[in-house]
Amino acid sequence: MANIACRQLKCPNLSALCYGFASWVSAAIVFSSTSVFAAERVVLKYRAFRESIAVEDLTKFARTGEMSPDLRVNLALARQDPQTIRQSLTNTVTVDPILLDRVLNNALGELLLDEIGKTVHPPARQANRQALRAAMTLSARDRQLSLLEILQNYPTTDVEVEGERLEAVYSQLRRLEGTLKNFLK
């Protein structure tokens, strides 16, 4: 598909940029055309504690601060500060979606995906890079990237989140933002 798209765009020598753009467009078409691929539940994990929360409940909490009874109990049992969790979910970084796709499809990007994948991953941990890459690329459509958007766009029904590492994900996204800005210089 990338080959066809590159020929239609008349990219010389089917350059990496054209392939990156074509893969981003392909992912956007596939994943935005249906909500079947979006995560429905987030499994929050804190040491031995593990509880499933609806993405809808997490979204409402992140946007309004209002917690569902399940979320309130789960955060209390895990001894987590709701405002810290909320901030970790909603902090955003600014990204260029095409450049993000290029970075995530090289060795540097794979290292970043592996690091973030230690916190956000599918239950079986299979195809973790691919799932995370798709979620991040889709989340960047608005030129902003947040952990909440990544969870909302994660292409599996369930996504696990290592709660102790939530704040680290934002730091990794900030580093990504810096890396992307350096590419533009």
Side-chain angles (χ1 to χ4, degrees):
M1 179 159 181
N3 195 10
I4 294 168
C6 288
R7 285 188 186 139
Q8 290 173 344
L9 292 172
K10 298 178 183 168
C11 292
N13 302 321
L14 301 174
S15 69
L17 173 62
C18 191
Y19 273 113
F21 177 73
S23 65
W24 179 78
V25 169
S26 299
I29 291 169
V30 169
F31 290 115
S32 69
S33 64
T34 178
S35 63
V36 172
F37 295 110
E40 296 172 12
R41 304 205 58 81
V42 173
V43 179
L44 288 175
K45 295 168 57 179
Y46 293 94
R47 294 174 197 86
F49 178 79
R50 171 187 177 104
E51 198 59 46
S52 181
I53 303 292
V55 170
E56 184 178 313
D57 289 346
L58 211 51
T59 300
K60 183 177 181 181
F61 166 63
R63 291 196 176 136
T64 68
E66 186 179 330
M67 287 189 278
S68 69
D70 284 346
L71 184 58
R72 183 181 322 281
V73 168
N74 291 330
L75 292 180
L77 289 172
R79 295 186 178 122
Q80 295 300 306
D81 175 34
Q83 290 312 311
T84 301
I85 301 297
R86 186 175 180 209
Q87 189 173 8
S88 296
L89 290 169
T90 58
N91 282 340
T92 61
V93 295
T94 303
V95 295
D96 177 286
I98 295 171
L99 189 54
L100 174 68
D101 183 66
R102 283 183 65 194
V103 168
L104 293 179
N105 281 293
N106 68 36
L108 175 67
E110 289 183 357
L111 288 173
L112 178 72
L113 290 168
D114 289 344
E115 278 303 306
I116 294 173
K118 292 176 183 176
T119 304
V120 179
H121 53 82
R125 292 190 187 237
Q126 293 179 336
N128 192 25
R129 274 188 194 160
Q130 295 83 353
L132 193 51
R133 183 182 294 121
M136 290 176 72
T137 302
L138 288 172
S139 298
R141 291 179 292 193
D142 62 354
R143 305 183 75 75
Q144 298 280 322
L145 192 58
S146 72
L147 178 56
L148 179 63
E149 288 178 314
I150 292 169
L151 295 174
Q152 291 168 330
N153 289 307
Y154 208 84
T156 60
T157 304
D158 294 329
V159 58
E160 291 186 354
V161 176
E162 307 297 330
E164 297 92 11
R165 296 180 46 90
L166 277 179
E167 292 179 62
V169 170
Y170 179 67
S171 296
Q172 292 160 342
L173 292 177
R174 292 288 300 177
R175 279 194 293 274
L176 172 64
E177 180 182 40
T179 300
L180 293 177
K181 285 181 182 177
N182 286 336
F183 270 100
L184 293 175
K185 289 181 181 179

